[in-house]
C-alpha cells in the first residue's frame, strides 16, 4: 500500500500548533487545523479531531490560553493564543527540532565513502 | 506547568461541564468546516460528509480529549467500582461467603501479627530499649539462686564495668501476696510487691504518672518506708484516688507512704514475670540485712550509646573476677567468674524463648490465608466461568484484555476490602480477649492492641490477597478464546473439562495445605497431652495452697541476737504446729503441711552439700533447690518418700536432718559408693553443719513441667529458717467446701492473716503450661479453620461438577444406573481429590515437621499416629463434604434433567 500522506510523529502536532499560534495570533481549533493542512500542502494526514487533545494538553501546561469569542463569519468559537511560557517553549522545541532534522538529514545522506566513518567500515 | 496535576484533578471532577464545553467547541468546528465547504460550492450533504471525514472519528476525538484532560484511569476505576458493586449485589450469597472466608483469614492474620509485633518485633516499652541488657549466668540446676547476684557483687559490677550508663536490679525472691495492706480496721488485704534497687526506674527510663519514683535516700537503712503503686492497683484498690500521693498506709505492719503512681504503660509483671500481677514496688535496702542474704538481685544494665553487646560482654567478663559473693569472705571473690556474667539483650531475655513458637504461629495463619485465597480463587473461577460470555461480549465490543483483567481485579479488591474490614473487627475482639488473659505466662500480653502497624499489615495483606486470588482467574478469563465462548451456548458453556481440572488442582492444594496445618496442630496437641502426663513428683489434683502470714511480735528485735532468733524460730514452729493441727481437724482435709516455697513457683539454692569424707570433684555442679518444710508437707503434696518424714521432735537441739530428692541421692551415691546406692542414713555436710539424710523423696519438677526435674533438698522448718509459709492441703472435698473453714482456722490463730487466695496446685501447673497451651490452642483453632475452608472447597467443586453433569447423570440413570452407583461415583471423585491432597500434604508435613521439632515434647516430628489420625480426620471431612452433592446427584430425576435442556 502506497502512503500518500505523512503520519504525524509523536509530539510533532503540539509543536505545529504552537508555531501556528505564534504565526497567526489568536485562532480557533478549526482554523489551526486548516492552517496546518494548508501550510503542509495537504501532505499531513491529520484527523482534525485529534487537535483538541493537543490543545487541552498545551493549555493545561500553561503554554496556550483560550477564551470564547466570535469568528469572522459571526460564529461562536473558542479562540486559542500563545502565552509567554508557550513562546519560550516554542523556541526551545523549534531549536531541538532543527537539530534533529539536521542530524536526520546527515544520517540519511550517509554512504560508504563519505566522511569519517569509513575507517571502520565493514566488508561490503 | 506546575499546576497541571491540579488541573487534571479539577478536570476529573468537573467532567460534565467540560464535556459540554467540548461538545460546543466541536460543534463549532464542524459548522465552520461545513460553511467553508459550502463556500467552495459543495452541496450541503457533501459539505457535511467531507467535514466529518476530515474531522476523523468524533467519539475518538472526545475520548482522546478526555484522556489528555483528566484522570482517565481513575475514571475507569470508578466505572469498574460501580459495576462491581452492582454485580456483587446481584449475587449476595457469593459475596457474603467470600467476604466471610476472607474475614476469617485476614482476622486471624491481623490478630497473630499483633501478637508477634508486641512480643517479637516491637521494642520493649522503655526508652531506647535496645540499650537494655539482662545480666545473668547461663541457666543451671540451682534455679534463681544461680541466676542472681549478691548486693556486693552488684556494687562491684557497677564499679568495674565501663560500658554501662548504669546498672540496676530487683529482688528476685518476692513471693506472691508478700505484702498485707491494712486500711483502718479492715481485714488485711494481700498484695504483691517487688523490691527494686533505687535507680531501677531511672535506668529503665520510666516516669511516674503521679508523684515521684525512688531516690537513693529512699533505699538507705532506716529510711522512712515508701511505696510506689502500679496503675492497676491504684485503680482497683484505691479507686484511682487523685490525692493518693503523700498518704500513708499500714503495709505489713509499717506505716508506708505512697510517693508515686506508675504509668499504665509500665507493668512489671508483663516484662519480668509474665502471668503474675505486681501491685506495688518498694525500694531495696542494698546495704542493710539483704547484704547477707547471698544471691538475691537480678542485674539489668543500660549500655552507653554506641556500645555493642559484644563490647558489653567483654566488659562484664573482665569485671567478673572482681565480684564477691560477700566482701566479708574474701574467698568468695571471683566465684562469679566461674559461673559467668553474661549480658544478653533484655528483649531476648523477655521473649527470645518464644521466637520459634511465634514464627510457627505466624506461619500457621499464613497457611490459613493461603487456603482462604485458594478457596476464593476457586469460587471466583466458578463465577468467572459462568460469566465467560459477558466478558467475551465486552471483548467483542472493544474492551482490551487489560480492562477485563482490571475489572476482575477491582472485584477482588472490593471483596478483600470487605474481608479486611470484617477481619479487622474480628481481630479486634480476638486481641481484646487475648490482652485480658492475665493468667497466661507470656510477656507483654497485656499491652496487646491493634495499632498502626497492625492496620498497615491489614492493608498489606488485603492487597496481597486480592492479587493472589484475583489475578489467576482474571488472567485465565481474559486469555480465553473469544469466539469459542460466544459460539458456545447451552448449559455446558465454558465449563470445559480443562476448567474443572484447574479447580481440582486448587482443591487438592487446599487439602494439602489443610493437611500440613492439621499435622502441625496434631503434633503440638500430642506434645501438650504428653506434658500433662508428665509425672511432676507431686499430685496437683485436689491439693490447694494458701499463703500463711507468720505473726510478728515487737520483741523479735529484728532477730539481731542468737537468742532472739531462737525465740522467733520457736514461736514460729509452735504457730505452724497449731495451724496444721487445727486445719487437719476440718472435715475433708486429708493432709496438711507448710513449705516456704512451692514447686513451679519461686526457688533458691544453698550450695551443694557433699558426703562427709568423700573427695569433691573439681567442678562441683550447682546445688539442689532448697525447701524448708514442716512435717506432713510431702504427704500433703503427694510426693512419694522413702525413709521417714520430718517430725516435730526434730528440733534445733537434735541431730540436723534433711530429705533429698532421688536424682540428687543418685548423684551423690556415685561418688560416695553407698551400699545399694541408698542415701538414707548417710551424712552430708553443707560446710557449716552435718546433715543426716533421713529420707529420699521423688524428683519434683520445680521449675518447668517439661524440662528436667532437677534436684531438691528439704530442710525441716524446725532447724532452718523459712522465708515464708505456704500451707498445702490435700482434701477429699472441693475447694469451696474447705476454703472458708481453713481461712477461718488460720485467722483464729493470727488476726493479721490476710484474706489470701486459696489456690489449687493445679493452677501452678496450668500456669507453667500456659504458653504451650496458648500456642497449641491457637494452632489447633487455625487448623480447624483450615479444615473448614478445605471442606468448603471440596463441597464447592464437587457440587459444581454435579451440576455440570446433571444431564449426563440423568442419561445414565435413564439407562439404568442405580442411585447407589451414582452416589458412589461422585464420592469416588471426592475421595480421589482428598487422597491426592492428603498424600501431598503429608509429604509436605514431613518437611515442615522438622521445623517445629524443637517445639515438640516427647513427640517425634514423624509421629505415625498423628499423621494417620489427621489423614483420617481430613478424609472424613472430605467424605461428608462430598456426600451432600452425591446425594443430590443420586436424586436427579432423569426426565427433569433431560427436559431441562
Amino acid at each position: 500500500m502506497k502512503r500518500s500522506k505523512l503520519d504525524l510523529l509523536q509530539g510533532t502536532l503540539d509543536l505545529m500548533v504552537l508555531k501556528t499560534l505564534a504565526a497567526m495570533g489568536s485562532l480557533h481549533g478549526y482554523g489551526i487545523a486548516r492552517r496546518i493542512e494548508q501550510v503542509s500542502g495537504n501532505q499531513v494526514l491529520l484527523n482534525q479531531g485529534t487537535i483538541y487533545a493537543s490543545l487541552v494538553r498545551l493549555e493545561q501546561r500553561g503554554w496556550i490560553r483560550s477564551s470564547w469569542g466570535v469568528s469572522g463569519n459571526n460564529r461562536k468559537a473558542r479562540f486559542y493564543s500563545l502565552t509567554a511560557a508557550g513562546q519560550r517553549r516554542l523556541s526551545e522545541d523549534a531549536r531541538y527540532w532543527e537539530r534533529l532534522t539536521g542530524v536526520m538529514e546527515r544520517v540519511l545522506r550517509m554512504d560508504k565513502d563519505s566522511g569519517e566513518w569509513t575507517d571502520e567500515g565493514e566488508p561490503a | 506547568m506546575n499546576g497541571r496535576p491540579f488541573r487534571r484533578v479539577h478536570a476529573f471532577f468537573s467532567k460534565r461541564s467540560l464535556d459540554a464545553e467540548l461538545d460546543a467547541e466541536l460543534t463549532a468546528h464542524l459548522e465552520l468546516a461545513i460553511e467553508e465547504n459550502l463556500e467552495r460550492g459543495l452541496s450541503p450533504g457533501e459539505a457535511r460528509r467531507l467535514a466529518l471525514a476530515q474531522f476523523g472519528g468524533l467519539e475518538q476525538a472526545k475520548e482522546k480529549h478526555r484522556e489528555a484532560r483528566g484522570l482517565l484511569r481513575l475514571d475507569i476505576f470508578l466505572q469498574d467500582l460501580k459495576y462491581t458493586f452492582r454485580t456483587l449485589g446481584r449475587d449476595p450469597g457469593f459475596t457474603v461467603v467470600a467476604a466471610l472466608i476472607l474475614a476469617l483469614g485476614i482476622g486471624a492474620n491481623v490478630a497473630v501479627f499483633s501478637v508477634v509485633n508486641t512480643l517479637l518485633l516491637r521494642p520493649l516499652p522503655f526508652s531506647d530499649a535496645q540499650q537494655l541488657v539482662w545480666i545473668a549466668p547461663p541457666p543451671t540446676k540451682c534455679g534463681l539462686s544461680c541466676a542472681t547476684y549478691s548486693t556486693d557483687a552488684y556494687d562491684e559490677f557497677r564499679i568495674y564495668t565501663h560500658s554501662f550508663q548504669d546498672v540496676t536490679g530487683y529482688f528476685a525472691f518476692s513471693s506472691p501476696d508478700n505484702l498485707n495492706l491494712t486500711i483502718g480496721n479492715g481485714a488485711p488485704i494481700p498484695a504483691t510487691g517487688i523490691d527494686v534497687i533505687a535507680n531501677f526506674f531511672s535506668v529503665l527510663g520510666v516516669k511516674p504518672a503521679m508523684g515521684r519514683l525512688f531516690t537513693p535516700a529512699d533505699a538507705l537503712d532506716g529510711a522512712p518506708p515508701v511505696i510506689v503503686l502500679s496503675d492497676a492497683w491504684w485503680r482497683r484498690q484505691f479507686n484511682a484516688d487523685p490525692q493518693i500521693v503523700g498518704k500513708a498506709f499500714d503495709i505489713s505492719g509499717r506505716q508506708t507512704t505512697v510517693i508515686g503512681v506508675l504509668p499504665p504503660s509500665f507493668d512489671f509483671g508483663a516484662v519480668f514475670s509474665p502471668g503474675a500481677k505486681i501491685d506495688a514496688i518498694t525500694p531495696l535496702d542494698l546495704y542493710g540485712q539483704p547484704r547477707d542474704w547471698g544471691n538475691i538481685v537480678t542485674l539489668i544494665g543500660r549500655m552507653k550509646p554506641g556500645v555493642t553487646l559484644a563490647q558489653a560482654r567483654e566488659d562484664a567478663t573482665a569485671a567478673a573476677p572482681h565480684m564477691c559473693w560477700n566482701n566479708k569472705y574474701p574467698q568468695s571473690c571471683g566465684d562469679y567468674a566461674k559461673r559467668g556474667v553474661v549480658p544478653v539483650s533484655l528483649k531476648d531475655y523477655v521473649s527470645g524463648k518464644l521466637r520459634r513458637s511465634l514464627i510457627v504461629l505466624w506461619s500457621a495463619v499464613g497457611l490459613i490465608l493461603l487456603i482462604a485465597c485458594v478457596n476464593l480463587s476457586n469460587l471466583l473461577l466458578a463465577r468467572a466461568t459462568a460469566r465467560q460470555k459477558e466478558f467475551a461480549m465486552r471483548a467483542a465490543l472493544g474492551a482490551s484484555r487489560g480492562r477485563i483483567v482490571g475489572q476482575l481485579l477491582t472485584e477482588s479488591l472490593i471483596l478483600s476490602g470487605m474481608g479486611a474490614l470484617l477481619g479487622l473487627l474480628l481481630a479486634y475482639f480476638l486481641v481484646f480477649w487475648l490482652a485480658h488473659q492475665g493468667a497466661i505466662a507470656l510477656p507483654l500480653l497485656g499491652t496487646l492492641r491493634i495499632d498502626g502497624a497492625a492496620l498497615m499489615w491489614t492493608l498489606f495483606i488485603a492487597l496481597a490477597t486480592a492479587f493472589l486470588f484475583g489475578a489467576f482467574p482474571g488472567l485465565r478469563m481474559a486469555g480465553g478464546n473469544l469466539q469459542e465462548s460466544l459460539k458456545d451456548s447451552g448449559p455446558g458453556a465454558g465449563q470445559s473439562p480443562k476448567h474443572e481440572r484447574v479447580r481440582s488442582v486448587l482443591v487438592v492444594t487446599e487439602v494439602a495445605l489443610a493437611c500440613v496445618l492439621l499435622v502441625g496442630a496434631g503434633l503440638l496437641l500430642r506434645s501438650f497431652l504428653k506434658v500433662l502426663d508428665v509425672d511432676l513428683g507431686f499430685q496437683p489434683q485436689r491439693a490447694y495452697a494458701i499463703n500463711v502470714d507468720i505473726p510478728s511480735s515487737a520483741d523479735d528485735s529484728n532477730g539481731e541476737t542468737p537468742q532472739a532468733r531462737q525465740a522467733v524460730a520457736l514461736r514460729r514452729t509452735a504457730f505452724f504446729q497449731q495451724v496444721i493441727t487445727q486445719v487437719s481437724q476440718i472435715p475433708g482435709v486429708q493432709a496438711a503441711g507448710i513449705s516456704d516455697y512451692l514447686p513451679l513457683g519461686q526457688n533458691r539454692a544453698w550450695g551443694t552439700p557433699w558426703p562427709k569424707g568423700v573427695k569433691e570433684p573439681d567442678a562441683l555442679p550447682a546445688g539442689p533447690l532448697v525447701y524448708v518444710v514442716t512435717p506432713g508437707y510431702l504427704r500433703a503434696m503427694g510426693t512419694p518418700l522413702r525413709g521417714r518424714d520430718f517430725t516435730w521432735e526434730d528440733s534445733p537441739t537434735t541431730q540436723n536432718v534433711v530429705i533429698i530428692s532421688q536424682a540428687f541421692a543418685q548423684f551423690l551415691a556415685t561418688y560416695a559408693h553407698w551400699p545399694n546406692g541408698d542415701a538414707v542414713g548417710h551424712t552430708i555436710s553443707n560446710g557449716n553443719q552435718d546433715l543426716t539424710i533421713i529420707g529420699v523423696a521423688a524428683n519434683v519438677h520445680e521449675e518447668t513441667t517439661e524440662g528436667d526435674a532437677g534436684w531438691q533438698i528439704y530442710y525441716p522448718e524446725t532447724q532452718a529458717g523459712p522465708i515464708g509459709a505456704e500451707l498445702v492441703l490435700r482434701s477429699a472435698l472441693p475447694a469451696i467446701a474447705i476454703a472458708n473453714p481453713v481461712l477461718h482456722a488460720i485467722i483464729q490463730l493470727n488476726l493479721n492473716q490476710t484474706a489470701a487466695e486459696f489456690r489449687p496446685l493445679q493452677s501452678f501447673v496450668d500456669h507453667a503450661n500456659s504458653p504451650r497451651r496458648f500456642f497449641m490452642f491457637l494452632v489447633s483453632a487455625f487448623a480447624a479453620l483450615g479444615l473448614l475452608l478445605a471442606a468448603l472447597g471440596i463441597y464447592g467443586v464437587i457440587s459444581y461438577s454435579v451440576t455440570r453433569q446433571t444431564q449426563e447423570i440423568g442419561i445414565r440413570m435413564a439407562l439404568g444406573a442405580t442411585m447407589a452407583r451414582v452416589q458412589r461415583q461422585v464420592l469416588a471423585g471426592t475421595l480421589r481429590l482428598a487422597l491426592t491432597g492428603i498424600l501431598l500434604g503429608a509429604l509436605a508435613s514431613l518437611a515442615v515437621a522438622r521445623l517445629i521439632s524443637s517445639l515438640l515434647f516427647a513427640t517425634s516430628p514423624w509421629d505415625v499416629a498423628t499423621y494417620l489420625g489427621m489423614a483420617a480426620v481430613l478424609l472424613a471431612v472430605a467424605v461428608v463434604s462430598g456426600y451432600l452433592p452425591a446425594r443430590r446427584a443420586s436424586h436427579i430425576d432423569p426426565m427433569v434433567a433431560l427436559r431441562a435442556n
Side-chain angles (χ1 to χ4, degrees), chain B residues 406-697:
Chain B
Q407 163 71 39
L408 283 167
L409 274 181
T410 311
E411 289 191 19
S412 314
L413 276 176
I414 295 299
L415 283 177
S416 78
M418 292 196 293
L421 282 180
L422 272 177
L424 207 55
L425 197 70
L426 198 73
Y428 176 81
F429 286 116
L430 205 61
V431 160
F432 183 83
W433 178 75
L434 285 176
H436 289 78
Q437 297 302 298
I440 298 179
L442 285 181
L444 304 168
L445 206 59
T447 65
L448 202 58
R449 62 183 188 280
I450 302 274
D451 58 1
L455 290 179
M456 289 308 292
W457 183 249
T458 314
L459 191 67
F460 168 72
I461 53 177
L463 288 177
T465 47
F467 281 96
L468 219 61
F469 72 72
F472 182 57
L475 285 176
R476 276 197 72 81
M477 251 324 93
N481 186 331
L482 229 177
Q483 273 201 329
E484 284 301 315
S485 315
L486 280 176
K487 261 193 330 211
D488 216 348
S489 62
Q495 299 159 354
S496 60
K498 200 170 107 199
H499 249 120
E500 200 162 303
R501 209 158 47 241
V502 173
R503 303 199 58 199
S504 301
V505 168
L506 287 177
V507 166
V508 166
T509 313
E510 220 174 340
V511 172
L513 290 172
C515 182
V516 172
L517 261 180
L518 275 175
V519 168
L523 290 172
L524 288 175
L525 180 66
R526 210 169 149 80
S527 299
F528 183 68
L529 294 178
K530 286 266 172 70
V531 169
L532 292 188
D533 256 3
V534 165
D535 178 8
L536 296 170
F538 61 95
Q539 308 293 327
Q541 305 83 10
R542 295 190 297 103
Y544 308 92
I546 181 171
N547 197 313
V548 173
D549 294 309
I550 303 171
S552 53
S553 153
D555 48 85
D556 286 353
S557 48
N558 288 333
E560 265 156 16
T561 61
Q563 289 84 348
R565 275 203 290 277
Q566 206 172 12
V568 170
L570 284 174
R571 206 171 35 246
R572 184 189 61 229
T573 302
F575 172 67
F576 282 178
Q577 201 171 355
Q578 277 177 307
V579 167
I580 290 169
T581 314
Q582 293 297 319
V583 164
S584 299
Q585 282 164 10
I586 294 169
V589 174
Q590 295 165 326
I594 291 174
S595 170
D596 56 351
Y597 283 146
L598 292 176
L600 305 176
Q602 302 279 326
N603 63 54
R604 45 93 150 77
W606 289 346
T608 312
W610 198 250
K612 296 217 11 149
V614 176
K615 193 183 168 301
E616 290 185 16
D618 291 337
L620 199 60
L625 296 183
V626 170
Y627 296 86
V628 178
V629 306
T630 64
Y633 164 76
L634 287 172
R635 201 163 76 81
M637 286 297 283
T639 302
L641 172 70
R642 198 159 46 77
R644 74 164 175 95
D645 192 4
F646 300 123
T647 66
W648 296 110
E649 279 71 51
D650 292 316
S651 75
T653 53
T654 63
Q655 182 188 41
N656 285 317
V657 289
V658 289
I659 294 171
I660 62 176
S661 69
Q662 209 169 348
F664 185 48
Q666 252 160 25
F667 171 77
L668 294 182
T670 55
Y671 287 90
H673 307 292
W674 289 322
N676 304 327
D678 189 4
V680 176
H682 294 279
T683 305
I684 53 179
S685 163
N686 63 6
N688 310 323
Q689 298 162 301
D690 287 350
L691 309 164
T692 302
I693 303 169
I694 56 163
V696 173

Side-chain angles (χ1 to χ4, degrees), chain B residues 317 320-323 333-341:
Chain B
T317 309
H322 300 284
M323 294 163 68
C333 295
D335 275 359
Y336 293 109
K338 279 182 239 159
R339 240 194 273 150
V341 181

Side-chain angles (χ1 to χ4, degrees), chain B residues 140-143 534-538 599-600 603 623-625 627 661-664 697-714 857:
Chain B
T140 52
K141 265 201 161 70
C142 59
V534 165
D535 178 8
L536 296 170
F538 61 95
L600 305 176
N603 63 54
L625 296 183
Y627 296 86
S661 69
Q662 209 169 348
F664 185 48
N699 298 325
V700 169
H701 282 256
E702 77 282 89
E703 281 202 286
T704 65
T705 49
E706 304 179 13
D708 278 342
W711 297 340
Q712 298 85 45
I713 184 163
Y714 301 89
F857 177 79

Side-chain angles (χ1 to χ4, degrees), chain A residues 28-30 34 46-50 52-53 56 59-62 68 71 73 75-76 78 80, chain B residues 1 4 7-8 21 24-26 28-29 31-33 35-36 54-56 61 64-65 68-69:
Chain A
H28 50 65
Y30 178 70
R34 284 296 294 146
L46 178 68
N47 277 334
Q48 291 176 357
T50 52
Y52 290 95
V56 76
E59 190 173 9
Q60 281 188 343
R61 288 181 176 154
W68 286 90
S71 75
N73 36 18
R75 287 203 180 275
K76 215 166 156 269
R78 191 169 182 163
Y80 295 88
Chain B
M1 178 164 189
R4 193 153 168 256
R7 287 194 188 120
R8 278 191 162 221
E21 210 169 318
E25 198 175 356
L26 297 187
H29 180 114
E31 279 169 358
L32 284 167
E35 204 162 308
E36 194 180 318
Q54 281 172 335
F55 190 86
K64 271 203 166 136
H65 181 268
R69 175 183 82 194

Side-chain angles (χ1 to χ4, degrees), chain B residues 111-175:
Chain B
V112 166
F113 172 80
S114 297
V115 173
V116 172
N117 187 31
T118 306
L119 269 64
L120 215 56
L121 306 179
R122 215 160 47 193
L124 292 173
F126 304 119
S127 58
D128 294 316
Q130 78 286 351
Q131 294 174 342
L132 294 171
V133 291
W134 177 262
I135 302 155
T140 52
K141 265 201 161 70
C142 59
L144 268 178
S145 287
C146 296
T148 46
Y149 297 94
S150 67
T151 61
D152 282 345
Y154 162 74
D155 271 345
E156 281 137 5
F157 183 83
R158 227 171 140 210
I159 293 167
Y160 286 100
T161 53
H162 310 287
S163 49
F164 297 95
Q165 295 180 43
D166 205 350
V167 184
T168 188
Y170 62 89
F171 180 63
F173 296 86
S174 307
S175 41

